[in-house]
Amino acid sequence: MPSTMNNIAKQGDHGSAMMPVIQGVGRAAIEIAAVLRGAVFRGALGGAGSENIQGEQQQMLDVLSDEIFLEEMRSTGFICAVGSEEQEELLVIDEYSHADYLVLVDPLDGSSNLDVDGPVGTIFSIVKRKTANSERPHVSDTLQSGREVIAAGYVLYGPSLMLVCSVGEGVHGYTFNPAVARFELSHPDMRIPETGGYYSVNESNKSDWADGMGDKLIAMKAETGLGMRYVGAMVADMHRTLLKGGVFLYPADSKNTTGKLRLLYEAIPMGFVMEQAGGKAMSSGIAILDIEPEALHQRVPVYLGSNTNVDALLG
Ligand code: AHM
Ligand code: MG
């Protein structure tokens, strides 16, 4: 009998509390995957005609995925509020505003890939509130460093539907089995290889990178001979890096002076998973998980991967 996501309950101190929430993420993933597959028939591809808080054009599928995710978090009964890349403010779930946990989410990461039927993902992390349960949850509850994250993970909408997560006791991957309509443990105890793999970066920005990163990348390539792969969807690039080794990076550049990727929705959850898988997760000069967040939509430089490769870039 294959293991299902029920086995999260047996993982570490937080597994049993996190299992229903991660199962909710799994339900959201199944719904979002179905919406993605049928989008072209429902006229749901293309822009929504709105901008998110970062001034980026929202796609209709960004908005739909955000709604689906929020509803599934509401349905767990364990989540008091959701911070989303697609929402300016923290969304409080009124009927469960006394609940213990908050979720931070990028509901549809890499959505520029939608036009070309490329892979996309969902990225999430779960934190325990700091405010008293009798109070209304506050944005300050979300501003917790990655060291305080209880669980995190991502969903990859690729040829198969995968949910990879950690509750602080290793990283485990579950694949949706359509024959029985459930996620089954397919990748137990994922560990990033120490050597081999690929470097993954939008190299077209090289001349604009900060911190001499262009020269450091050239030196690392010469030393390791690593090949290059870049999807442009963080979940897909992270997943390959986790399985094959190497490094994924999105440095600061002259346009994105503090980096492009969001600390709370992208860097911390992926950093948590990467460290749990034995890899390294750095920003400029500091471990991603040691950054004290200052704002909901803060951006940071990101370097994720095998220890040797990340060290080669950041010294
Ligand atoms: P998004 O959350 O709006 O989709 O943006 C984040 C994405 C990441 O998935 C990916 O790593 C990065 O943006 C790609 O950026 P670029 O197109 O500049 O290479
Ligand atoms: Mg994103």
Side-chain angles (χ1 to χ4, degrees):
M1 183 75 178
S3 290
T4 66
M5 282 202 284
N6 288 345
N7 87 342
I8 293 171
K10 292 185 246 155
Q11 296 168 16
D13 294 340
H14 299 292
S16 55
M18 291 298 100
M19 185 184 72
V21 182
I22 297 174
Q23 285 175 324
V25 175
R27 287 193 301 278
I30 294 166
E31 285 176 63
I32 292 169
V35 169
L36 292 173
R37 295 216 171 91
V40 72
F41 305 112
R42 296 191 198 107
L45 283 179
S50 51
E51 282 186 354
N52 66 13
I53 173 67
Q54 359 259 336
E56 298 158 344
Q57 291 298 318
Q58 288 179 304
Q59 307 253 3
M60 281 181 268
L61 290 168
D62 283 322
V63 176
L64 280 169
S65 305
D66 193 42
E67 287 170 6
I68 290 168
F69 194 89
L70 178 67
E71 279 317 304
E72 286 300 343
M73 290 302 100
R74 188 196 308 278
S75 80
T76 68
F78 292 101
I79 299 300
C80 63
V82 175
S84 166
E85 184 180 304
E86 301 302 331
Q87 301 285 341
E88 181 168 0
E89 311 277 353
L90 182 68
L91 285 166
V92 175
I93 299 177
D94 287 318
E95 61 266 54
Y96 298 109
S97 62
H98 59 278
D100 284 337
Y101 300 104
L102 296 93
V103 174
L104 291 149
V105 66
D106 179 355
L108 200 57
D109 179 65
S111 48
S112 65
N113 270 3
L114 291 169
D115 291 343
V116 296
D117 218 5
V120 289
T122 296
I123 310 172
F124 69 96
S125 63
I126 306 167
V127 292
K128 193 162 190 182
R129 67 188 297 164
K130 296 281 185 196
T131 49
N133 293 62
S134 53
E135 289 173 29
R136 196 171 167 77
H138 185 260
V139 66
S140 59
D141 287 316
T142 67
L143 304 181
Q144 301 191 40
S145 84
R147 300 287 171 213
E148 295 179 271
V149 163
I150 295 173
Y154 59 83
V155 176
L156 176 59
Y157 306 95
S160 65
L161 176 60
M162 269 203 84
L163 192 158
V164 173
C165 64
S166 174
V167 295
E169 199 173 81
V171 178
H172 307 282
Y174 302 82
T175 302
F176 184 71
N177 181 348
V180 286
R182 68 180 181 208
F183 282 95
E184 294 179 0
L185 181 64
S186 53
H187 295 60
D189 202 15
M190 299 168 78
R191 306 288 298 172
I192 183 170
E194 254 318 308
T195 55
Y198 302 93
Y199 75 94
S200 182
V201 64
N202 186 341
E203 216 164 350
S204 67
N205 296 329
K206 186 157 71 178
S207 58
D208 298 324
W209 286 339
D211 305 327
M213 197 47 65
D215 291 341
K216 289 177 186 164
L217 186 72
I218 290 168
M220 192 202 70
K221 280 158 63 173
E223 196 175 316
T224 61
L226 286 188
M228 191 268 207
R229 294 282 187 280
Y230 190 65
V231 174
M234 187 188 193
V235 171
D237 287 318
M238 163 78 178
H239 189 63
R240 186 195 50 256
T241 304
L242 194 54
L243 290 174
K244 303 286 186 191
V247 58
F248 165 80
L249 58 152
Y250 207 112
D253 59 45
S254 51
K255 194 170 80 191
N256 305 290
T257 52
T258 61
K260 177 184 180 189
L261 299 175
R262 268 63 45 138
L263 176 60
L264 289 173
Y265 312 119
E266 294 165 328
I268 286 180
M270 293 308 206
F272 186 89
V273 170
M274 187 52 83
E275 283 201 5
Q276 283 290 320
K280 198 153 187 175
M282 295 295 290
S283 195
S284 293
I286 183 171
I288 287 172
L289 301 189
D290 286 332
I291 298 173
E292 294 292 340
E294 290 169 3
L296 206 44
H297 299 287
Q298 185 176 344
R299 297 172 191 257
V300 292
V302 168
Y303 301 83
L304 299 168
S306 304
N307 288 277
T308 48
N309 299 124
V310 176
D311 285 345
L313 292 178
L314 293 175

